[in-house]
mmCIF file of all heavy atoms in Angstrom:
data_model
loop_
_atom_site.group_PDB
_atom_site.id
_atom_site.type_symbol
_atom_site.label_atom_id
_atom_site.label_comp_id
_atom_site.label_asym_id
_atom_site.label_seq_id
_atom_site.Cartn_x
_atom_site.Cartn_y
_atom_site.Cartn_z
ATOM 1 N N TRP A 1 125.841 119.105 82.230
ATOM 2 C CA TRP A 1 127.182 119.074 81.553
ATOM 3 C C TRP A 1 127.475 120.370 80.756
ATOM 4 O O TRP A 1 128.330 120.401 79.875
ATOM 5 C CB TRP A 1 127.320 117.844 80.637
ATOM 6 C CG TRP A 1 127.226 116.593 81.404
ATOM 7 C CD1 TRP A 1 126.216 115.726 81.425
ATOM 8 C CD2 TRP A 1 128.211 116.023 82.252
ATOM 9 N NE1 TRP A 1 126.465 114.633 82.269
ATOM 10 C CE2 TRP A 1 127.710 114.820 82.859
ATOM 11 C CE3 TRP A 1 129.452 116.453 82.721
ATOM 12 C CZ2 TRP A 1 128.405 114.068 83.736
ATOM 13 C CZ3 TRP A 1 130.154 115.666 83.655
ATOM 14 C CH2 TRP A 1 129.624 114.467 84.150
ATOM 15 N N ALA A 2 126.749 121.459 81.052
ATOM 16 C CA ALA A 2 126.989 122.719 80.336
ATOM 17 C C ALA A 2 128.381 123.259 80.660
ATOM 18 O O ALA A 2 128.841 123.144 81.802
ATOM 19 C CB ALA A 2 125.930 123.712 80.755
ATOM 20 N N ARG A 3 128.984 123.846 79.640
ATOM 21 C CA ARG A 3 130.309 124.449 79.815
ATOM 22 C C ARG A 3 130.047 125.960 80.032
ATOM 23 O O ARG A 3 129.839 126.681 78.970
ATOM 24 C CB ARG A 3 131.175 124.166 78.639
ATOM 25 C CG ARG A 3 131.563 122.668 78.525
ATOM 26 C CD ARG A 3 132.732 122.480 77.609
ATOM 27 N NE ARG A 3 133.812 123.303 77.935
ATOM 28 C CZ ARG A 3 134.970 122.868 78.482
ATOM 29 N NH1 ARG A 3 135.132 121.597 78.660
ATOM 30 N NH2 ARG A 3 135.949 123.735 78.781
ATOM 31 N N LEU A 4 130.067 126.412 81.232
ATOM 32 C CA LEU A 4 129.766 127.791 81.554
ATOM 33 C C LEU A 4 130.968 128.458 82.293
ATOM 34 O O LEU A 4 130.757 129.360 83.059
ATOM 35 C CB LEU A 4 128.497 127.887 82.454
ATOM 36 C CG LEU A 4 127.222 127.291 81.747
ATOM 37 C CD1 LEU A 4 126.089 127.219 82.784
ATOM 38 C CD2 LEU A 4 126.863 128.127 80.565
ATOM 39 N N ASP A 5 132.206 128.009 81.943
ATOM 40 C CA ASP A 5 133.392 128.557 82.583
ATOM 41 C C ASP A 5 133.411 130.069 82.369
ATOM 42 O O ASP A 5 133.278 130.576 81.251
ATOM 43 C CB ASP A 5 134.643 127.987 81.926
ATOM 44 C CG ASP A 5 134.647 126.463 81.822
ATOM 45 O OD1 ASP A 5 133.747 125.954 81.142
ATOM 46 O OD2 ASP A 5 135.521 125.849 82.466
ATOM 47 N N GLY A 6 133.620 130.805 83.478
ATOM 48 C CA GLY A 6 133.728 132.282 83.414
ATOM 49 C C GLY A 6 132.490 132.980 83.055
ATOM 50 O O GLY A 6 132.482 134.223 82.806
ATOM 51 N N ALA A 7 131.343 132.329 83.007
ATOM 52 C CA ALA A 7 130.131 132.979 82.651
ATOM 53 C C ALA A 7 129.640 133.996 83.668
ATOM 54 O O ALA A 7 129.956 133.872 84.884
ATOM 55 C CB ALA A 7 128.977 131.948 82.490
ATOM 56 N N SER A 8 129.037 135.037 83.191
ATOM 57 C CA SER A 8 128.409 136.116 84.098
ATOM 58 C C SER A 8 126.989 135.692 84.367
ATOM 59 O O SER A 8 126.123 135.858 83.483
ATOM 60 C CB SER A 8 128.572 137.447 83.515
ATOM 61 O OG SER A 8 127.937 138.417 84.344
ATOM 62 N N LEU A 9 126.740 135.150 85.570
ATOM 63 C CA LEU A 9 125.381 134.689 85.928
ATOM 64 C C LEU A 9 124.848 135.482 87.067
ATOM 65 O O LEU A 9 124.116 134.985 87.946
ATOM 66 C CB LEU A 9 125.414 133.203 86.229
ATOM 67 C CG LEU A 9 126.063 132.359 85.117
ATOM 68 C CD1 LEU A 9 126.103 130.853 85.600
ATOM 69 C CD2 LEU A 9 125.267 132.399 83.855
ATOM 70 N N VAL A 10 125.245 136.756 87.224
ATOM 71 C CA VAL A 10 124.902 137.621 88.331
ATOM 72 C C VAL A 10 123.386 137.753 88.405
ATOM 73 O O VAL A 10 122.725 138.109 87.423
ATOM 74 C CB VAL A 10 125.555 139.021 88.177
ATOM 75 C CG1 VAL A 10 125.101 139.945 89.224
ATOM 76 C CG2 VAL A 10 127.086 138.883 88.147
ATOM 77 N N GLY A 11 122.843 137.428 89.595
ATOM 78 C CA GLY A 11 121.388 137.627 89.798
ATOM 79 C C GLY A 11 120.511 136.609 89.110
ATOM 80 O O GLY A 11 119.327 136.778 89.093
ATOM 81 N N ALA A 12 121.062 135.571 88.515
ATOM 82 C CA ALA A 12 120.323 134.570 87.748
ATOM 83 C C ALA A 12 119.315 133.865 88.680
ATOM 84 O O ALA A 12 119.663 133.559 89.805
ATOM 85 C CB ALA A 12 121.247 133.610 87.074
ATOM 86 N N ASN A 13 118.198 133.545 88.193
ATOM 87 C CA ASN A 13 117.233 132.625 88.893
ATOM 88 C C ASN A 13 117.357 131.260 88.299
ATOM 89 O O ASN A 13 116.774 131.026 87.217
ATOM 90 C CB ASN A 13 115.806 133.139 88.864
ATOM 91 C CG ASN A 13 114.873 132.270 89.658
ATOM 92 O OD1 ASN A 13 115.248 131.180 90.093
ATOM 93 N ND2 ASN A 13 113.672 132.737 89.846
ATOM 94 N N LEU A 14 118.084 130.379 88.929
ATOM 95 C CA LEU A 14 118.274 128.991 88.469
ATOM 96 C C LEU A 14 117.697 128.031 89.506
ATOM 97 O O LEU A 14 118.163 126.895 89.670
ATOM 98 C CB LEU A 14 119.733 128.755 88.227
ATOM 99 C CG LEU A 14 120.340 129.533 87.066
ATOM 100 C CD1 LEU A 14 121.865 129.485 87.118
ATOM 101 C CD2 LEU A 14 119.878 128.950 85.748
ATOM 102 N N ASP A 15 116.663 128.474 90.258
ATOM 103 C CA ASP A 15 115.996 127.627 91.237
ATOM 104 C C ASP A 15 115.571 126.311 90.559
ATOM 105 O O ASP A 15 114.921 126.330 89.459
ATOM 106 C CB ASP A 15 114.761 128.298 91.831
ATOM 107 C CG ASP A 15 115.118 129.443 92.788
ATOM 108 O OD1 ASP A 15 116.289 129.575 93.152
ATOM 109 O OD2 ASP A 15 114.177 130.146 93.164
ATOM 110 N N GLY A 16 115.886 125.186 91.177
ATOM 111 C CA GLY A 16 115.471 123.899 90.646
ATOM 112 C C GLY A 16 116.163 123.461 89.363
ATOM 113 O O GLY A 16 115.827 122.421 88.799
ATOM 114 N N ALA A 17 117.126 124.206 88.883
ATOM 115 C CA ALA A 17 117.820 123.874 87.647
ATOM 116 C C ALA A 17 118.749 122.680 87.881
ATOM 117 O O ALA A 17 119.200 122.398 88.954
ATOM 118 C CB ALA A 17 118.657 125.062 87.144
ATOM 119 N N SER A 18 118.980 121.899 86.774
ATOM 120 C CA SER A 18 119.889 120.800 86.881
ATOM 121 C C SER A 18 121.211 121.190 86.154
ATOM 122 O O SER A 18 121.253 121.431 84.960
ATOM 123 C CB SER A 18 119.323 119.566 86.159
ATOM 124 O OG SER A 18 120.200 118.487 86.284
ATOM 125 N N LEU A 19 122.235 121.365 86.945
ATOM 126 C CA LEU A 19 123.579 121.700 86.506
ATOM 127 C C LEU A 19 124.558 120.571 86.840
ATOM 128 O O LEU A 19 125.690 120.767 87.104
ATOM 129 C CB LEU A 19 124.065 123.036 87.167
ATOM 130 C CG LEU A 19 123.247 124.260 86.733
ATOM 131 C CD1 LEU A 19 122.991 125.183 87.870
ATOM 132 C CD2 LEU A 19 124.014 124.932 85.637
ATOM 133 N N VAL A 20 124.065 119.372 86.767
ATOM 134 C CA VAL A 20 124.829 118.158 87.091
ATOM 135 C C VAL A 20 126.036 118.126 86.145
ATOM 136 O O VAL A 20 125.879 118.200 84.928
ATOM 137 C CB VAL A 20 123.996 116.880 86.924
ATOM 138 C CG1 VAL A 20 124.895 115.638 87.125
ATOM 139 C CG2 VAL A 20 122.823 116.857 87.928
ATOM 140 N N GLY A 21 127.222 118.025 86.759
ATOM 141 C CA GLY A 21 128.472 117.952 85.986
ATOM 142 C C GLY A 21 128.844 119.214 85.190
ATOM 143 O O GLY A 21 129.787 119.164 84.369
ATOM 144 N N ALA A 22 128.140 120.292 85.421
ATOM 145 C CA ALA A 22 128.433 121.543 84.702
ATOM 146 C C ALA A 22 129.777 122.106 85.075
ATOM 147 O O ALA A 22 130.285 121.938 86.175
ATOM 148 C CB ALA A 22 127.350 122.578 84.965
ATOM 149 N N ARG A 23 130.400 122.794 84.081
ATOM 150 C CA ARG A 23 131.665 123.476 84.344
ATOM 151 C C ARG A 23 131.377 124.959 84.569
ATOM 152 O O ARG A 23 130.942 125.656 83.649
ATOM 153 C CB ARG A 23 132.560 123.364 83.092
ATOM 154 C CG ARG A 23 132.952 121.931 82.710
ATOM 155 C CD ARG A 23 134.140 121.433 83.470
ATOM 156 N NE ARG A 23 135.203 122.356 83.642
ATOM 157 C CZ ARG A 23 136.360 122.296 82.967
ATOM 158 N NH1 ARG A 23 136.624 121.309 82.155
ATOM 159 N NH2 ARG A 23 137.312 123.199 83.233
ATOM 160 N N LEU A 24 131.569 125.402 85.778
ATOM 161 C CA LEU A 24 131.310 126.754 86.219
ATOM 162 C C LEU A 24 132.586 127.423 86.802
ATOM 163 O O LEU A 24 132.502 128.276 87.634
ATOM 164 C CB LEU A 24 130.120 126.797 87.241
ATOM 165 C CG LEU A 24 128.823 126.370 86.724
ATOM 166 C CD1 LEU A 24 127.892 125.831 87.797
ATOM 167 C CD2 LEU A 24 128.152 127.532 86.018
ATOM 168 N N ASP A 25 133.731 126.950 86.367
ATOM 169 C CA ASP A 25 135.003 127.441 86.830
ATOM 170 C C ASP A 25 135.050 129.003 86.620
ATOM 171 O O ASP A 25 134.822 129.456 85.493
ATOM 172 C CB ASP A 25 136.191 126.873 86.043
ATOM 173 C CG ASP A 25 136.171 125.416 85.945
ATOM 174 O OD1 ASP A 25 135.112 124.845 85.594
ATOM 175 O OD2 ASP A 25 137.204 124.760 86.218
ATOM 176 N N GLY A 26 135.311 129.704 87.671
ATOM 177 C CA GLY A 26 135.404 131.162 87.575
ATOM 178 C C GLY A 26 134.152 131.920 87.213
ATOM 179 O O GLY A 26 134.136 133.085 86.901
ATOM 180 N N ALA A 27 132.986 131.216 87.223
ATOM 181 C CA ALA A 27 131.752 131.881 86.910
ATOM 182 C C ALA A 27 131.353 132.881 87.993
ATOM 183 O O ALA A 27 131.701 132.712 89.145
ATOM 184 C CB ALA A 27 130.603 130.861 86.770
ATOM 185 N N ASN A 28 130.661 133.899 87.575
ATOM 186 C CA ASN A 28 130.201 134.935 88.549
ATOM 187 C C ASN A 28 128.764 134.708 88.820
ATOM 188 O O ASN A 28 127.853 134.970 88.073
ATOM 189 C CB ASN A 28 130.417 136.331 87.960
ATOM 190 C CG ASN A 28 130.158 137.431 88.965
ATOM 191 O OD1 ASN A 28 129.613 137.181 89.994
ATOM 192 N ND2 ASN A 28 130.527 138.648 88.662
ATOM 193 N N LEU A 29 128.482 134.101 90.023
ATOM 194 C CA LEU A 29 127.157 133.749 90.507
ATOM 195 C C LEU A 29 126.711 134.679 91.658
ATOM 196 O O LEU A 29 125.852 134.281 92.455
ATOM 197 C CB LEU A 29 127.132 132.314 90.956
ATOM 198 C CG LEU A 29 127.275 131.306 89.745
ATOM 199 C CD1 LEU A 29 127.847 130.024 90.266
ATOM 200 C CD2 LEU A 29 125.944 131.067 89.140
ATOM 201 N N VAL A 30 127.255 135.871 91.737
ATOM 202 C CA VAL A 30 126.906 136.813 92.790
ATOM 203 C C VAL A 30 125.385 137.056 92.765
ATOM 204 O O VAL A 30 124.863 137.438 91.706
ATOM 205 C CB VAL A 30 127.728 138.093 92.655
ATOM 206 C CG1 VAL A 30 127.195 139.129 93.664
ATOM 207 C CG2 VAL A 30 129.214 137.880 92.862
ATOM 208 N N GLY A 31 124.771 136.869 93.933
ATOM 209 C CA GLY A 31 123.341 137.103 94.043
ATOM 210 C C GLY A 31 122.470 136.127 93.256
ATOM 211 O O GLY A 31 121.253 136.390 93.202
ATOM 212 N N ALA A 32 123.011 135.095 92.741
ATOM 213 C CA ALA A 32 122.191 134.103 91.992
ATOM 214 C C ALA A 32 121.386 133.239 92.933
ATOM 215 O O ALA A 32 121.708 133.042 94.089
ATOM 216 C CB ALA A 32 123.083 133.216 91.147
ATOM 217 N N ARG A 33 120.215 132.800 92.421
ATOM 218 C CA ARG A 33 119.305 131.899 93.179
ATOM 219 C C ARG A 33 119.498 130.485 92.560
ATOM 220 O O ARG A 33 119.204 130.266 91.392
ATOM 221 C CB ARG A 33 117.877 132.330 93.040
ATOM 222 C CG ARG A 33 117.541 133.566 93.848
ATOM 223 C CD ARG A 33 116.096 133.916 93.791
ATOM 224 N NE ARG A 33 115.260 132.722 94.144
ATOM 225 C CZ ARG A 33 114.832 132.490 95.410
ATOM 226 N NH1 ARG A 33 115.099 133.339 96.376
ATOM 227 N NH2 ARG A 33 114.102 131.453 95.627
ATOM 228 N N LEU A 34 119.899 129.558 93.401
ATOM 229 C CA LEU A 34 120.108 128.159 93.012
ATOM 230 C C LEU A 34 119.349 127.282 94.054
ATOM 231 O O LEU A 34 119.817 126.163 94.315
ATOM 232 C CB LEU A 34 121.582 127.821 92.955
ATOM 233 C CG LEU A 34 122.343 128.522 91.887
ATOM 234 C CD1 LEU A 34 123.742 128.844 92.288
ATOM 235 C CD2 LEU A 34 122.321 127.791 90.557
ATOM 236 N N VAL A 35 118.236 127.757 94.552
ATOM 237 C CA VAL A 35 117.472 127.034 95.548
ATOM 238 C C VAL A 35 116.945 125.680 94.946
ATOM 239 O O VAL A 35 116.312 125.666 93.897
ATOM 240 C CB VAL A 35 116.276 127.851 96.069
ATOM 241 C CG1 VAL A 35 115.428 127.061 97.047
ATOM 242 C CG2 VAL A 35 116.827 129.163 96.742
ATOM 243 N N GLY A 36 117.326 124.595 95.587
ATOM 244 C CA GLY A 36 116.918 123.321 95.114
ATOM 245 C C GLY A 36 117.550 122.835 93.826
ATOM 246 O O GLY A 36 117.140 121.857 93.240
ATOM 247 N N ALA A 37 118.592 123.502 93.386
ATOM 248 C CA ALA A 37 119.253 123.182 92.164
ATOM 249 C C ALA A 37 120.143 121.900 92.360
ATOM 250 O O ALA A 37 120.588 121.586 93.466
ATOM 251 C CB ALA A 37 120.131 124.312 91.680
ATOM 252 N N ARG A 38 120.358 121.151 91.268
ATOM 253 C CA ARG A 38 121.221 120.022 91.302
ATOM 254 C C ARG A 38 122.577 120.420 90.694
ATOM 255 O O ARG A 38 122.661 120.770 89.546
ATOM 256 C CB ARG A 38 120.558 118.877 90.479
ATOM 257 C CG ARG A 38 119.282 118.414 91.081
ATOM 258 C CD ARG A 38 118.962 116.979 90.815
ATOM 259 N NE ARG A 38 120.070 116.096 91.017
ATOM 260 C CZ ARG A 38 120.206 114.996 90.308
ATOM 261 N NH1 ARG A 38 119.345 114.621 89.386
ATOM 262 N NH2 ARG A 38 121.245 114.174 90.498
#
């Protein structure tokens, strides 16, 4: 349930992270790793 609207998450390693219900509207996830993330 994190509010990460418009966040710059370029190149982030969020493998296995839980982002259930998160707000990522307009977030920049270019090159991010979300392998196995929820």
